[in-house]
Amino acid sequence: MNKETKQKSVVIALLISTFLTAIEGTIVSTAMPKIVDDLGGSHLYTWVISIYLLAVVISTPIFGKMADLFGRKLMFTIGTLIFLAGSMLSGLSQTMEQLIIFRLIQGIGAGALSTIPFTIIGDVFEFNMRAKMQGWMSSVWGIAGIFGPLAGGFIVDTISWHWIFFMNLPFGIISLFLLWVALHEHIEKKKQVIDYAGILTFTICMSAFLYALTLVKEYKEVTGQISILFIVAFVGLGLFLWIQAKGREPMLPLSLFKNKYISISNATGFLLGFILVTITFYIPLWVQGVTNLNATFSGIAMLPMSVTWPFGALLAGKWMSKKPIAHITLAGIAIIIVGCIGLVFFRTETTVTWMMVVTGVLGVGFGLAYTAFNVAVQSSVEWEVRGVAMGSHNLLKNLGQAIGIAVSGLWLSDELKGSVLESSLHNVFILLLILGIGSMAVTSILLSKKGRELALH
């Protein structure tokens, strides 16, 4: 980056784009009942969300790599334009099938918006300021968690559900304009090699695997079709790894994983992604199915998490120049474990107030851990591979969420009311506690001497 870059304008542009990506999940979830009423296709309800997440999982590492090859600005622009096109088409959807296809397009663009902004922050700022900016970027997700359900409900009730997609257009255009004016970068001139084979095998592998998990939930058994999908996924994974090991410019350089900090951050990011998505889906289900309260109380129960997440993120940014990254990540995970213990002790008579305490604790933990791991990944590699390093980290977090939805769903009872639901959710919450402890064990490796001194520059 050169001196011409206007840091303030860059940050504003990235905050806007990150907000659009962050709000997408909550605002669409709020509008889904009305969308189904208008378009029909209730059996495709979950696909509107899962296809978006699958697209993000697949496109995130691709955009991370392309950002290293062609520059952050160009790939951010392409990703934003794809996202806005998907948003506009989603708003124009006349059938549920159309909406699913257009959400796929939107998710591909979101893969760029979920990883490149963090990479640009790593380029533009030095370590101490980088940590503070990451805290602000992470806090956007918390703010979106508060604003999303409220905005979604207001738009659906007063205007139309179509506008939850159309509203992305003006903000996305403003973000693009600011970034083009403010960000200046120098890209090394070299022959660019795109890993088309890696992109294709990764797409086939992940699509087959996640679709197979979805079918297992639907059919409650492993059929011949599902077995074939798992075989395709397994063979595809092996082929993908072979291509990555042999390729000149691999999409996901396996050499990255020789870096201990990258490996630890990615493994823990996967586990935390699993925990996060399960909490987000199943606490509201507990409120409505076990406690027998309405959807409004589900939102109230989850609200503290959105408030305390930015607090944890900002706290991580403040501590980053004073404390080792390992200590901050472990503190965050320890707080998440405390929150998971609170989940295990949920009972039918558990009050919404107690649920709010638990989600508030979880928010602080995720704010600390997510922010610290982002900085750890950026600070352990050079500029040339920082984009693909962040891409790999976001890939594993998103993959944890995608697999978390499918795997935790296998534990869930068909009966979504009463004691049967309560029992199955207890099993899920115990699983989350085990995953939290596993995250702590993996992250503790960072407490080595080198881990304590990680990239303080």
Side-chain angles (χ1 to χ4, degrees):
M1 295 298 127
N2 62 23
K3 295 180 180 179
E4 296 176 10
T5 292
K6 301 174 184 176
Q7 293 182 339
K8 184 177 180 180
S9 296
V10 168
V11 170
I12 293 173
L14 298 182
L15 288 175
I16 293 172
S17 64
T18 301
F19 182 78
L20 291 179
T21 310
I23 201 175
E24 198 58 37
T26 53
I27 200 170
V28 171
S29 298
T30 304
M32 275 306 297
K34 179 61 176 175
I35 292 174
V36 172
D37 285 344
D38 284 358
L39 301 183
S42 59
H43 62 290
L44 298 173
Y45 187 104
T46 58
W47 273 99
V48 176
I49 299 170
S50 60
I51 197 71
Y52 176 84
L53 185 55
L54 174 59
V56 172
V57 168
I58 292 171
S59 63
T60 292
I62 297 172
F63 275 109
K65 177 62 181 175
M66 302 281 267
D68 284 338
L69 291 176
F70 297 110
R72 308 349 181 182
K73 183 189 290 189
L74 176 62
M75 298 318 301
F76 178 87
T77 301
I78 293 173
T80 301
L81 291 175
I82 294 173
F83 177 81
L84 294 181
S87 297
M88 183 179 67
L89 291 170
S90 294
L92 296 172
S93 298
Q94 299 298 309
T95 67
M96 189 67 87
E97 289 80 6
Q98 287 180 8
L99 180 59
I100 290 171
I101 293 172
F102 299 147
R103 284 280 286 172
L104 172 66
I105 297 171
Q106 191 183 32
I108 292 172
L113 302 186
S114 65
T115 187
I116 295 178
F118 289 100
T119 307
I120 293 174
I121 290 293
D123 295 338
V124 173
F125 294 96
E126 295 301 319
F127 180 84
N128 290 341
M129 280 301 295
R130 184 186 305 163
K132 292 179 181 178
M133 289 301 105
Q134 293 293 359
W136 282 107
M137 294 288 287
S138 296
S139 71
V140 169
W141 291 83
I143 296 170
I146 300 170
F147 185 73
L150 300 176
F154 176 79
I155 292 171
V156 170
D157 291 339
T158 61
I159 310 175
S160 165
W161 65 262
H162 300 275
W163 282 92
I164 67 169
F165 298 109
F166 293 151
M167 64 173 284
N168 291 332
L169 298 177
F171 292 106
I173 292 169
I174 292 171
S175 175
L176 268 184
F177 175 78
L178 285 174
L179 194 79
W180 268 97
V181 170
L183 180 63
H184 301 273
E185 58 183 345
H186 293 294
I187 306 168
E188 181 183 350
K189 298 297 181 181
K190 62 178 181 178
K191 184 178 180 181
Q192 309 292 0
V193 179
I194 306 300
D195 183 15
Y196 294 109
I199 292 172
L200 178 62
T201 53
F202 181 82
T203 302
I204 293 173
C205 165
M206 292 312 310
S207 299
F209 180 67
L210 294 177
Y211 185 49
L213 289 178
T214 302
L215 292 180
V216 168
K217 170 64 177 174
E218 181 179 345
Y219 294 126
K220 303 294 188 293
E221 62 178 350
V222 180
T223 63
Q225 178 190 5
I226 294 171
S227 298
I228 292 173
L229 285 170
F230 277 127
I231 292 172
V232 170
F234 180 77
V235 173
L237 177 62
L239 185 58
F240 172 73
L241 293 175
W242 181 80
I243 291 170
Q244 299 310 286
K246 300 294 184 181
R248 285 178 54 198
E249 290 281 359
M251 182 183 86
L252 188 65
L254 300 184
S255 58
L256 276 177
F257 294 90
K258 295 178 182 177
N259 183 319
K260 181 175 69 174
Y261 311 117
I262 298 289
S263 297
I264 292 171
S265 298
N266 287 351
T268 308
F270 176 88
L271 296 175
L272 294 182
F274 191 120
I275 295 171
L276 175 61
V277 76
T278 308
I279 289 168
T280 304
F281 270 75
Y282 291 155
I283 289 181
L285 181 57
W286 179 285
V287 172
Q288 296 178 62
V290 178
T291 314
N292 290 318
L293 297 173
N294 61 28
T296 300
F297 282 100
S298 292
I300 292 172
M302 292 300 296
L303 186 60
M305 186 171 179
S306 299
V307 175
T308 57
W309 185 308
F311 172 77
L314 293 172
L315 198 59
K318 183 178 179 180
W319 285 350
M320 205 69 70
S321 60
K322 304 173 183 178
K323 301 177 183 294
I325 290 178
H327 290 176
I328 300 172
T329 56
L330 285 172
I333 294 172
I335 294 172
I336 291 171
I337 290 174
V338 171
C340 289
I341 292 173
L343 293 176
V344 171
F345 284 98
F346 273 18
R347 296 291 181 268
T348 305
E349 61 274 11
T350 298
T351 64
V352 172
T353 302
W354 174 246
M355 296 179 198
M356 292 174 71
V357 171
V358 172
T359 57
V361 169
L362 288 165
V364 174
F366 278 108
L368 281 169
Y370 266 46
T371 304
F373 276 121
N374 281 336
V375 176
V377 170
Q378 293 172 352
S379 302
S380 61
V381 294
E382 299 299 323
W383 185 92
E384 290 77 12
V385 293
R386 191 172 289 150
V388 74
M390 279 306 300
S392 74
H393 184 55
N394 286 307
L395 162 68
L396 267 295
K397 288 192 295 187
N398 290 332
L399 190 59
Q401 292 191 43
I403 292 178
I405 291 174
V407 172
S408 61
L410 299 178
W411 295 55
L412 194 64
S413 66
D414 291 331
E415 179 62 46
L416 297 182
K417 293 284 183 182
S419 59
V420 176
L421 175 63
E422 179 179 354
S423 177
S424 67
L425 286 178
H426 264 299
N427 292 332
V428 173
F429 292 155
I430 291 170
L431 172 63
L432 298 188
L433 177 58
I434 293 171
L435 292 177
I437 295 171
S439 301
M440 176 72 80
V442 172
T443 307
S444 64
I445 302 172
L446 278 176
L447 278 178
S448 65
K449 181 178 179 182
K450 288 184 178 179
R452 292 195 300 268
E453 297 171 351
L454 174 61
L456 293 179
H457 60 268

